Amino acid sequence: MRFLALLPLLAVAVAAHGHGHDDDSHIEKRSQPGAPQPNPVDLSPLTWGDVNIIHTTDTHGWLSGHTKEAAYSADFGDFSSFLYHMRQQAAHRRKDLLVVDSGDLHDGNGLGDATPVNGQYTHDALSIGNHELYVNEVAENTYRDFVPGWGKRYLTSNVFIKDSLTNKTVPIGNLYNKFRLKFGTRVMSYGFLYNFNGAANNTIVEPSNFTVTLPWFQKSLKEDVDMYLVVGHIPIRWAEATAVVKAIRDAHPSKPIVVLGGHLHVRDFKVYDNRAFGLSSGRFMETLGWMSVDGIRDRTCKVETNCIGKNLTVTRRYLDSNVYTYKKHSLAHPKQKFDTWKGRSITKEIFKLRKTLNLSNTIGCAPQDYYLARYPYTDARSLLNLVANEVLPTAVVNASRPYPGVVIVNSGSQRFDLFKGPFTLDDTYIVSPFHNDFVYATVPYSMASKMLAALNGAPFQKRGDNIPLPAYASNATLTPGYVTKDDYGYGGDDWAHSSIPYVNSPNYISSPLPTGLKDTDLVDVVWLSYFTNLVNPILKKLDPVNTYSTGIYRSDVDTNSMLLNFVKAKWSNTTC
């Protein structure tokens, strides 16, 4: 079984009080060994309000940080130390601080396959993501082994599971949670998932616009609180989010509402009204979202009608996740020690786990960078081009079969860029973390030649969404990265970057079609089990008369191992 539950390492860390260890001259010892560090820049101080929020979402197992990208090289040990110092700052300022995660811990990095660890008490609220729900076993493990460690803080207002022991359908987490922060702010929190229809058959995702009509939700709106916190694996601009905001606003015309969303892997900020706001904080531990809300302690708002139309003062910031960022924003004095004992312990634990899992073992050497979405699919710098024209023919096509083969995969099966230099076992999970079998049918060439176009005309089915970064003018003096425009305009990115181009790619790609064949010659058409439900109707449409049997094409290769096999075959004899 594969399930990411190393996030509670962070909980264990921040639940205890740490002690500083290193000074600035030893920055290279932080993060994972060998991880690059960014060059120092001037960063503006964060603005603090009555309530302040640190937000993560779609972390997908990146507990070790980005070991090949300086801007995002902090690991969860560094994050632990950062949270410790931010809590110290909050206490000194007498301001409330919330730490929130919006789901999708699973699928995306080698550490996502590590052994679960029980949680403690660090995050104030967490919600579930769709990647915790694709597979029955993962959903069950989340319910049994992960959620209990978080108690009432793990929120699933509209996600349910059929308990395998009692045979009853129950919420995976808590429907809602009312709690009081250190300096008195009373919070009502919920956890929502978007209307996800690809969940395992032991789970149910209830539409949010139905959930908000239920008696338990309406009753919760009668509680006396200072603000509403909606933690959602929901894009903040989607109808599912606005439905929850509207339901709260219908009952409370001026109560502050904060929505912390995710799923689209973007930085974004939305203004619903002058007292309701939403924040999304990127993906893969590249981004920490920061939001400050001032005006919540306004005593005149005890009578709600007094504050209708009265603005809250809200700021947002998207922090690049590296130690330099963490130090600049969390330390009260430049000479203050950053590392805490628990933070360093987590870093060491991650290193040991990576070593045990052989994630840092070099398998071969990538001759260049291959990007998932920066270049057209036909460009030699495109990862999808590499997959279609080299990986699939080398690692998947079975030359021992009596018929030639053409292999089709969805572009969403590839998750991240592949960088020049040492290719490690971890890179196989980073680039393609999913485990799907290759299925085939033997059909006439006349049908095989039409399959790719037919799939690209079918409904789009993928596990996630790669959303384009805005394409603005490049600045050669800045490192490439996020350039975000949201409802407050530009200026939310903590670090200034030049924008990264984004190019749309086909939903499905394939290895080259066999050449020199007649229409009646037979061909193995190979595809991923993940979208068999789309392929079977296409086969029937292309040939209504005949029925084509399907089966496993190769039992020794799946979407995760194909790249590993390719590297062993083609890149293992090169030196970096």
Side-chain angles (χ1 to χ4, degrees):
M1 192 219 79
R2 301 181 181 275
F3 173 65
L4 170 64
L6 279 174
L7 179 62
L9 282 173
L10 173 62
V12 175
V14 190
H17 288 195
H19 302 281
H21 274 212
D22 288 345
D23 59 28
D24 289 5
S25 64
H26 296 107
I27 193 169
E28 72 278 359
K29 292 186 179 179
R30 299 189 181 96
S31 310
Q32 290 300 296
Q37 302 294 335
N39 294 322
V41 296
D42 288 330
L43 300 177
S44 300
L46 298 174
T47 300
W48 288 72
D50 293 333
V51 173
N52 308 276
I53 301 166
I54 295 170
H55 179 227
T56 58
T57 186
D58 295 272
T59 53
H60 286 288
W62 287 80
L63 302 187
S64 56
H66 292 238
T67 59
K68 298 181 179 181
E69 295 179 276
Y72 318 118
S73 55
D75 67 19
F76 260 57
D78 303 316
F79 185 36
S80 165
S81 297
F82 172 71
L83 289 188
Y84 172 79
H85 293 299
M86 291 299 282
R87 291 193 185 279
Q88 295 290 98
Q89 273 213 51
H92 176 74
R93 296 169 182 269
R94 300 190 65 79
K95 303 290 188 182
D96 281 323
L97 179 65
L98 278 160
V99 181
V100 179
D101 182 84
S102 291
D104 264 12
L105 311 180
H106 199 263
D107 292 333
N109 186 283
L111 282 179
D113 299 323
T115 303
V117 181
N118 287 330
Q120 294 284 332
Y121 304 105
T122 297
H123 282 66
D124 300 286
L126 305 92
S127 65
I128 201 165
N130 55 297
H131 280 260
E132 280 76 78
L133 297 176
Y134 279 107
V135 180
N136 286 48
E137 187 181 18
V138 173
E140 178 76 15
N141 182 266
T142 302
Y143 171 61
R144 292 267 173 228
D145 300 328
F146 185 69
V147 172
W150 297 100
K152 294 181 178 180
R153 291 167 169 80
Y154 198 92
L155 300 160
T156 58
S157 302
N158 69 329
V159 184
F160 303 84
I161 191 167
K162 188 173 185 180
D163 191 309
S164 60
L165 299 180
T166 66
N167 212 32
K168 294 181 179 178
T169 299
V170 296
I172 289 181
N174 217 38
L175 292 175
Y176 65 96
N177 185 32
K178 178 184 176 183
F179 60 96
R180 185 185 294 267
L181 292 169
K182 184 172 183 178
F183 294 102
T185 307
R186 298 165 303 167
V187 180
M188 178 63 75
S189 59
Y190 308 98
F192 281 88
L193 178 65
Y194 72 96
N195 296 345
F196 174 50
N197 59 13
N201 60 17
N202 63 340
T203 64
I204 296 171
V205 180
E206 200 173 71
S208 60
N209 62 349
F210 172 73
T211 301
V212 297
T213 67
L214 296 177
W216 74 260
F217 187 88
Q218 292 298 316
K219 183 180 178 181
S220 75
L221 294 177
K222 294 184 168 76
E223 296 278 351
D224 187 15
V225 297
D226 300 309
M227 68 172 285
Y228 287 90
L229 177 70
V230 181
V231 185
H233 197 74
I234 302 177
I236 57 176
R237 298 180 185 275
W238 282 17
E240 292 94 322
T242 55
V244 180
V245 172
K246 182 180 185 303
I248 298 170
R249 186 56 78 229
D250 286 348
H252 296 284
S254 68
K255 289 283 187 183
I257 304 170
V258 172
V259 179
L260 298 172
H263 181 58
L264 292 188
H265 294 185
V266 294
R267 297 177 171 187
D268 197 13
F269 176 80
K270 178 172 174 57
V271 178
Y272 299 103
D273 61 42
N274 61 350
R275 299 181 70 81
F277 305 86
L279 179 72
S280 284
S281 301
R283 61 172 192 173
F284 302 163
M285 281 305 292
E286 293 171 345
T287 302
L288 299 189
W290 171 264
M291 182 189 287
S292 69
V293 186
D294 210 42
I296 290 177
R297 295 181 186 172
D298 188 336
R299 292 186 178 182
T300 62
C301 295
K302 292 291 184 183
V303 179
E304 281 197 56
T305 53
N306 290 346
C307 286
I308 295 175
K310 190 172 185 178
N311 291 343
L312 291 168
T313 301
V314 176
T315 73
R316 89 293 189 227
R317 191 84 67 86
Y318 310 108
L319 312 183
D320 284 7
S321 181
N322 59 69
V323 171
Y324 183 82
T325 296
Y326 291 177
K327 291 184 64 180
K328 290 293 287 186
H329 290 310
S330 71
L331 298 185
H333 190 278
K335 292 190 179 297
Q336 183 182 0
K337 294 177 180 179
F338 174 75
D339 292 321
T340 62
W341 179 82
K342 280 295 183 182
R344 290 302 298 270
S345 297
I346 290 176
T347 293
K348 290 176 182 176
E349 181 68 18
I350 292 172
F351 176 73
K352 286 194 296 183
L353 284 168
R354 285 175 60 83
K355 189 172 182 180
T356 299
L357 297 167
N358 298 316
L359 295 179
S360 298
N361 284 12
T362 298
I363 298 159
C365 186
Q368 65 175 69
D369 294 331
Y370 296 93
Y371 294 102
L372 184 58
R374 293 191 192 187
Y375 299 101
Y377 163 55
T378 54
D379 193 287
R381 295 165 292 184
S382 164
L383 174 69
L384 297 179
N385 185 289
L386 174 75
V387 170
N389 293 302
E390 298 189 46
V391 176
L392 296 179
T394 300
V396 180
V397 173
N398 188 349
S400 66
R401 286 277 304 160
Y403 308 112
V406 58
V407 185
I408 303 172
V409 299
N410 58 314
S411 58
S413 66
Q414 306 307 297
R415 191 72 162 174
F416 202 71
D417 303 329
L418 196 166
F419 295 115
K420 180 180 179 179
F423 182 93
T424 66
L425 182 61
D426 198 18
D427 289 316
T428 66
Y429 296 103
I430 289 171
V431 175
S432 182
F434 308 118
H435 296 263
N436 294 296
D437 294 324
F438 286 97
V439 182
Y440 83 105
T442 303
V443 304
Y445 176 79
S446 59
M447 287 179 61
S449 62
K450 297 173 183 175
M451 289 296 296
L452 182 61
L455 271 168
N456 275 317
F460 192 14
Q461 177 171 317
K462 64 180 291 187
R463 279 192 164 95
D465 296 283
N466 292 315
I467 301 301
L469 297 174
Y472 309 116
S474 216
N475 185 332
T477 65
L478 301 175
T479 58
Y482 287 96
V483 179
T484 308
K485 183 181 181 182
D486 56 28
D487 281 9
Y488 275 4
Y490 296 102
D493 298 306
D494 195 39
W495 287 66
H497 290 292
S498 61
S499 62
I500 296 173
Y502 180 94
V503 178
N504 284 314
S505 298
N507 296 338
Y508 298 87
I509 61 175
S510 81
S511 61
L513 272 168
T515 58
L517 299 181
K518 300 189 296 290
D519 282 351
T520 54
D521 289 339
L522 295 179
V523 175
D524 288 336
V525 174
V526 185
W527 66 89
L528 297 181
S529 56
Y530 176 61
F531 53 89
T532 290
N533 64 314
L534 299 181
V535 173
N536 285 335
I538 291 173
L539 291 173
K540 180 57 67 176
K541 184 177 181 180
L542 292 175
D543 187 352
V545 176
N546 296 303
T547 299
Y548 295 92
S549 59
T550 62
I552 298 297
Y553 183 64
R554 291 184 64 168
S555 59
D556 59 331
V557 179
D558 61 26
T559 44
N560 182 252
S561 63
M562 71 179 187
L563 184 58
L564 179 65
N565 293 347
F566 168 78
V567 171
K568 288 178 178 177
K570 297 294 186 180
W571 292 349
S572 61
N573 294 326
T574 57
T575 56
C576 298

